[in-house]
Amino acid sequence: MTKCLLLAAIAAVALPLPAVAQTMDAAALRDAALRDEIAWDITEGLTTEVGPRLAGTEAEARARTWAVTKLKALGFSNVRVELFQMPVWVRGEETAEVVAPFPQKLHLTTLGNSGATPADGMTAEIVYFPSLADLQAAPEGSLKGKIAFVSHAMHATQDGSSYGYYGRVRFQGPGIAAQKGAAAIVIRSVGTDHHRNPHTGGTNFPKGVTPIPAAALSIPDAEQLERIVKRGQPVRLKLVLTPRQIGMRESGNVIAEVPGSDPAAGIVLVGGHLDSWDLGTGAIDDASGVAITAAAAKRIMDAGTPRRMIRVVWFGAEEVGVFGGRAYAAKNGGDNHVVAAESDFGADRIWRFKVNLPDSAKAIGDRLATALFPLGIARSAEKAGDGADVGPIMAKGVAAIDLNQSGLDYFNLHHTPDDTLDKVDSEKLRQNVAAWTAMLAVVANAPEEIGPVTPAR
Ligand code: ZN
Ligand code: ZN
């Protein structure tokens, strides 16, 4: 018996893996994925042949058709669409100008779910708030007939956590302003660039609160308006924002599978979201995410049959309220998902990973570290649980793995007209595919059973 065969025999005794799984070498698959072309092909194709794909629109329907054709051509099994209904909001005209004291136009964009001004616009005095807390502290009724202006400057963090903090200006600010009687609200974009591109994104009005017109100024325009305010004279703004709610429409999730050899071992769920905001072509948010995860699954499929099924889902209607993630969980929540992971934070380098695994499957985390360290990916002690679309599945206690991309530059582009293909770095995209391929090779073939966990959120 040669040394190699002896080691193989020992390994076979220690780890009774199915024969096919033993042939999947995570390190070799990872290194081969550093030459990946599949993810770029998907990102380039989707952003070029479909372009912007706002949830519930005809463009998102074309994206589903494109996705089905592409996933079938790549050789995935059981490629299908699961349709659902959702309320659809569409953008209209959007202009703003300072009427007094220093007349000039400003660049802004309407927020998703915003109410509308009259077609010929509305003009009112603004009330300036440096932060969301200042808006919250405004006395009830004090904004009656006024336009609230909240200019809370976002700062980026590598882990993206500052989005939760600064993002509340967009998520909650319009609802708070409406409750205090404001006629409209403009916010400083939730972003970190200094281009004249406003950042859109969804907002929410509490039940029973009538939506008011709500828009985000580009960062230079917000800073300009702050300087005008600080001159001390009343500032009057004219807004024309004419978005519409067009009622219930069809959206859908696109699903594709790599069958596993052991149906009892459960399903590894991966994916991203197919819809995008309408201003750019959604290259980093989230064409690259669907591309990275599908490319990694394809590379595993081509290497053999994994122990566990890998299910790839390109979710619909994430941006406007995670309708696809909820529809998926409602229809498929009873399936035996054992791990869930989503890529929805751009296409920058992955710098760390997190796990939320049961104690009985702890060794998987150690093998992931071994597989990911050569890509410069650190292990975090935090619990995994990222990804809006997979959130409803993780909430059921499904184990989670996060492969975190750097957030230092993401909010320069996020939800702007500048989210376009040229911003995707093909080498960084390959590093992502390599990490996801290594992760899937380890997790989909792990001999341990992967039971339920306490969700991170
Ligand atoms: Zn996204
Ligand atoms: Zn987004």
Side-chain angles (χ1 to χ4, degrees):
M1 195 178 277
T2 66
K3 196 177 168 193
C4 264
L5 280 173
L6 179 65
L7 286 174
I10 291 166
V13 171
L15 300 172
L17 297 179
V20 279
Q22 287 186 49
T23 65
M24 250 186 234
D25 178 340
L29 286 166
R30 173 198 66 211
D31 294 345
L34 287 170
R35 296 184 296 278
D36 180 76
E37 298 290 342
I38 305 162
W40 179 264
D41 176 61
I42 294 171
T43 310
E44 193 268 353
L46 182 59
T47 55
T48 304
E49 294 170 25
V50 181
R53 20 190 209 286
L54 187 66
T57 64
E58 164 278 335
E60 197 202 32
R62 275 191 285 122
R64 284 194 294 282
T65 304
W66 188 94
V68 167
T69 305
K70 174 59 75 178
L71 291 163
K72 281 185 177 167
L74 287 169
F76 286 98
S77 298
N78 306 321
V79 178
R80 59 196 185 272
V81 175
E82 290 180 353
L83 296 171
F84 54 87
Q85 295 283 315
M86 53 158 296
V88 175
W89 174 94
V90 292
R91 192 177 303 282
E93 267 188 78
E94 42 190 25
T95 62
E97 59 189 289
V98 175
V99 175
F102 311 128
Q104 56 192 284
K105 290 184 175 167
L106 298 175
H107 286 227
L108 52 48
T109 192
T110 321
L111 300 178
N113 293 324
S114 164
T117 66
D120 58 352
M122 59 162 286
T123 302
E125 194 175 316
I126 66 165
V127 183
Y128 167 61
F129 299 100
S131 72
L132 185 67
D134 296 315
L135 173 67
Q136 281 167 323
E140 297 299 319
S142 63
L143 293 175
K144 202 149 184 54
K146 306 275 176 58
I147 299 172
F149 166 42
V150 187
S151 195
H152 201 174
M154 182 186 187
H155 297 273
T157 54
Q158 191 168 3
D159 69 358
S161 58
S162 64
Y163 183 49
Y165 175 67
Y166 295 105
R168 289 184 301 144
V169 175
R170 192 189 85 220
F171 313 143
Q172 300 168 11
I176 294 167
Q179 284 172 303
K180 291 179 187 288
I185 179 172
V186 293
I187 64 168
R188 176 183 170 122
S189 282
V190 179
T192 51
D193 59 298
H194 278 273
H195 294 283
R196 225 171 161 186
N197 290 325
H199 296 237
T200 191
T203 189
N204 290 296
F205 293 90
K207 242 189 161 60
V209 175
T210 305
I212 56 173
L217 292 159
S218 85
I219 287 157
D221 287 86
E223 292 181 350
Q224 175 80 334
L225 191 55
E226 278 182 51
R227 283 190 295 271
I228 293 172
V229 166
K230 283 171 185 165
R231 294 298 198 269
Q233 300 173 53
V235 180
R236 291 178 66 76
L237 206 61
K238 179 179 180 188
L239 293 176
V240 180
L241 304 172
T242 58
R244 289 178 302 138
Q245 296 281 357
I246 58 171
M248 298 299 280
R249 293 283 195 278
E250 201 162 67
S251 180
N253 296 322
V254 181
I255 300 174
E257 290 169 352
V258 179
S261 62
D262 181 358
I267 300 166
V268 179
L269 173 67
V270 298
H273 63 85
L274 186 56
D275 66 309
S276 77
W277 280 106
D278 51 345
L279 302 178
T281 60
I284 64 157
D285 187 13
D286 185 29
S288 51
V290 298
I292 290 160
T293 49
K298 158 81 174 157
R299 301 187 77 88
I300 299 295
M301 176 170 71
D302 289 350
T305 304
R307 179 178 179 221
R308 295 187 170 83
M309 171 189 285
I310 299 168
R311 185 179 284 168
V312 178
V313 183
W314 292 3
F315 294 91
E318 187 272 348
E319 293 290 8
V320 291
V322 200
F323 292 98
R326 285 202 298 272
Y328 176 83
K331 192 171 170 65
N332 307 285
D335 292 357
N336 184 21
H337 297 96
V338 294
V339 172
E342 179 167 6
S343 177
D344 183 20
F345 201 54
D348 210 332
R349 285 185 69 84
I350 295 172
W351 66 287
R352 70 165 183 186
F353 79 98
K354 299 185 282 189
V355 303
N356 185 9
L357 291 164
D359 285 348
S360 57
K362 251 187 176 151
I364 295 174
D366 299 334
R367 295 203 296 281
L368 278 175
T370 305
L372 295 173
F373 282 149
L375 296 171
I377 298 171
R379 181 177 191 166
S380 168
E382 285 177 39
K383 248 192 199 184
D386 293 349
D389 299 293
V390 295
I393 290 292
M394 288 175 178
K396 293 173 182 288
V398 173
I401 293 168
D402 297 340
L403 298 175
N404 294 141
Q405 292 134 322
S406 171
L408 290 175
D409 296 328
Y410 184 60
F411 293 99
N412 292 339
L413 301 170
H414 183 246
H415 296 181
T416 71
D418 237 1
D419 179 2
T420 49
L421 182 69
D422 51 300
K423 312 307 183 305
V424 178
D425 178 318
S426 57
E427 285 307 313
K428 290 177 177 174
L429 193 69
R430 289 190 181 100
Q431 188 255 10
N432 276 259
V433 178
W436 279 84
T437 302
M439 185 277 277
L440 286 177
V442 169
V443 172
N445 293 310
E448 298 89 349
E449 296 314 305
I450 307 173
V453 296
T454 306
R457 58 189 163 106

